[in-house]
Amino acid sequence: MQERVLGVAMNGVTGRMGYRQHLTRSVLAIRQAGGVPLPDGTRVIPEPVLVGRSAAKLREIADRHGIERWSTDLDAVLSDDSVEVYFDAQITTAREDAVRSAIAAGKHVYAEKPAAGTLSAALELAKLARDAGVCNGVVQDKLFLPGLLKLRRLVDSGFFGRVLSIRGEFGYWVFEGDWQEAQRPSWNYRAEDGGGIVLDMFPHWHYILEHLFGPVRAVTARAVTHIPERRDEQGAAYTATADDAAYALIELDGGVIAQINSSWSVRVDRDELVEFQVDGTEGSAVAGLRECRVQHRAVTPRAVWDPDAADTADYRSQWDRVPDNAEFANAFRAQWELFLSHVCAGTPFPYDLLSGARGLQMAEAGLRSSRSGNRVAIEEVGLS
Ligand SMILES: NC(=O)c1ccc[n+]([C@@H]2O[C@H](COP(=O)([O-])OP(=O)(O)OC[C@H]3O[C@@H](n4cnc5c(N)ncnc54)[C@H](O)[C@@H]3O)[C@@H](O)[C@H]2O)c1
């Protein structure tokens, strides 16, 4: 059996996403499983080179996992020919410069979302990658979660008929940090550090809408900061300068209407932390991260509005669970496998920097709509 060892520089592995999802549950898990099989039977073994700012933290992670190579010198790692891929899970504001350097060094690039801090920066990166002829990708992990894979199966089967609308409800209470520690990093609540729920979550909503239902054409949104002051990792009070909730109406091709609420200031009364209800002429579905339930046109109960009579219908019991019919891998790992195969065998990978840029375009349009109170049309962006 042929093996191809692929050096992957991984920057930001001391962070939440970089360590848990990308290093341990993706790259190390893939190594442990003997690599990713390519169509010709060759197995790609990714070899991580940890990159970051703190030598002590990198050494500790490297020792814990038996990783040989780590460095605090990004330029030195990028000039190493055995490193072919650069991966970035740094804080969003640090991404653009590092990805730009990696492309200039001829590396294939894969990055967390958002692809950059602004649409213009993300488009610029997409152009640079195209001109350099390097493979490029952005993390769009939610597409690979069991609930959304089942939703995709429904879409592909034609289950919905004509899709009419999509309602997304995302959120949970993020502690302010005073009497209970916040469960998200404090930079998420500071605009000057790249925080904000619009910048964080609209890129996710965009790729879900784009890949499952079609292109986004317009956005009307209101972004707010419900909790004006929080406490950071050291317990010090700081002003929350970024939005922590956003209420959006998103118009897609063909008149499909999506409404998505995103909030870190909401208490959960749902089965999952995010749920999407899709209503179509032939049937409806509610998909979360893991589960997906459906109700077909033929079995839709006759609901009758009568506020004077007690309603005995148990509406939620009238839905059917979509079976798994497959084993689902970790969503980040599933996308890593596709990216590694794309780099080594040229297999398709539609989750590129340009798709990531369109996600930022929707985020910027949402923020502009919120400031102006207007509906913002989304013009098609391309790489000139
Ligand atoms: N795909 C997803 O579901 C998902 C979820 C959360 C976050 N993210 C994205 O992942 C990226 C990292 O988020 P996280 O939650 O892991 O953040 P984190 O704060 O836990 O980690 C940030 C990483 O960036 C590094 N870093 C580099 N320069 C820095 C600086 N100047 N200040 C602070 N840290 C710096 C840190 O050392 C650390 O390794 C963000 O771009 C975020 O948008 C994606």
Side-chain angles (χ1 to χ4, degrees):
M1 188 182 56
Q2 286 270 9
E3 275 188 5
R4 158 124 194 245
V5 176
L6 187 75
V8 180
M10 299 187 73
N11 199 354
V13 286
T14 59
R16 278 186 330 150
M17 303 310 294
Y19 179 69
R20 266 191 272 158
Q21 298 295 0
H22 296 289
L23 181 64
T24 61
R25 294 184 192 158
S26 297
V27 169
L28 295 182
I30 289 170
R31 281 174 68 78
Q32 202 159 20
V36 177
L38 299 180
D40 71 357
T42 306
R43 295 190 80 89
V44 183
I45 316 282
E47 188 177 287
V49 181
L50 309 185
V51 185
R53 299 171 301 162
S54 162
K57 288 186 189 167
L58 293 173
R59 185 182 302 116
E60 201 268 320
I61 294 175
D63 287 349
R64 193 184 317 152
H65 295 285
I67 296 167
E68 280 171 25
R69 295 200 284 167
W70 59 267
S71 172
T72 54
D73 185 345
L74 176 62
D75 289 337
V77 171
L78 291 178
S79 62
D80 180 338
D81 288 341
S82 72
V83 171
E84 292 178 65
V85 172
Y86 171 75
F87 171 70
D88 192 296
Q90 295 186 93
I91 183 173
T92 306
T93 47
R95 181 157 307 128
E96 181 187 343
D97 285 350
V99 171
R100 192 184 287 273
S101 303
I103 294 170
K107 308 299 176 194
H108 304 296
V109 289
Y110 186 38
E112 256 297 355
K113 48 56 57 182
T118 61
L119 167 62
S120 63
L123 276 177
E124 172 77 13
L125 293 179
K127 277 186 200 143
L128 289 171
R130 191 239 0 231
D131 294 346
V134 296
C135 297
N136 59 94
V138 174
V139 174
Q140 300 191 338
D141 54 290
K142 307 291 175 271
L143 287 170
F144 302 91
L145 286 166
L148 288 166
L149 287 170
K150 286 182 252 187
L151 184 59
R152 179 189 289 264
R153 204 192 288 152
L154 293 173
V155 170
D156 291 349
S157 75
F159 169 82
F160 292 108
R162 182 164 60 86
V163 174
L164 307 173
S165 65
I166 300 146
R167 274 147 232 257
E169 195 63 56
F170 162 81
Y172 49 94
W173 193 268
V174 176
F175 288 111
E176 300 87 330
D178 47 359
W179 63 284
Q180 287 200 58
E181 234 176 78
Q183 65 271 45
R184 292 180 61 81
S186 59
W187 65 264
N188 282 282
Y189 302 91
R190 290 190 295 266
E192 61 276 24
D193 290 338
I197 203 163
V198 171
L199 194 55
D200 192 33
M201 298 313 294
F202 277 34
H204 286 300
W205 308 151
H206 180 270
Y207 65 69
I208 290 172
L209 295 172
E210 170 175 279
H211 288 291
L212 289 177
F213 301 105
V216 170
R217 299 300 184 208
V219 181
T220 310
R222 185 85 183 101
V224 293
T225 307
H226 286 308
I227 307 291
E229 187 181 279
R230 292 179 176 270
R231 287 187 189 255
D232 66 15
E233 289 76 3
Q234 282 71 45
Y238 66 95
T239 303
T241 48
D243 44 282
D244 60 11
Y247 307 89
L249 189 134
I250 300 159
E251 297 168 56
L252 311 189
D253 234 22
V256 179
I257 303 291
Q259 280 171 275
I260 305 187
N261 293 327
S262 316
S263 178
W264 287 316
S265 318
V266 69
R267 296 186 176 87
V268 181
D269 181 20
R270 268 170 264 132
D271 290 333
E272 305 201 48
L273 297 190
V274 65
E275 284 184 347
F276 297 95
Q277 174 161 341
V278 181
D279 287 296
T281 51
E282 297 298 310
S284 298
V286 177
L289 303 175
R290 303 207 68 82
E291 292 299 331
C292 184
R293 293 174 298 123
V294 287
Q295 188 169 92
H296 192 260
R297 176 174 190 259
V299 295
T300 303
R302 176 181 296 273
V304 179
W305 178 255
D306 181 0
D308 297 322
D311 193 343
T312 53
D314 179 2
Y315 294 108
R316 300 186 82 195
S317 70
Q318 295 162 351
W319 294 68
D320 292 318
R321 189 176 167 272
V322 177
D324 287 356
N325 288 1
E327 286 208 11
F328 301 107
N330 171 285
F332 291 86
R333 174 176 170 179
Q335 200 186 354
W336 263 100
E337 293 188 355
L338 291 180
F339 185 71
L340 295 175
S341 175
H342 174 59
V343 166
C344 296
T347 48
F349 192 81
Y351 322 103
D352 58 6
L353 281 168
L354 183 57
S355 172
R358 288 193 292 270
L360 270 159
Q361 183 185 27
M362 192 174 95
E364 289 188 359
L367 290 172
R368 205 168 334 125
S369 168
S370 183
R371 280 193 299 272
S372 67
N374 295 331
R375 170 181 180 272
V376 175
I378 304 259
E379 306 298 334
E380 210 163 307
V381 289
L383 301 181
S384 52

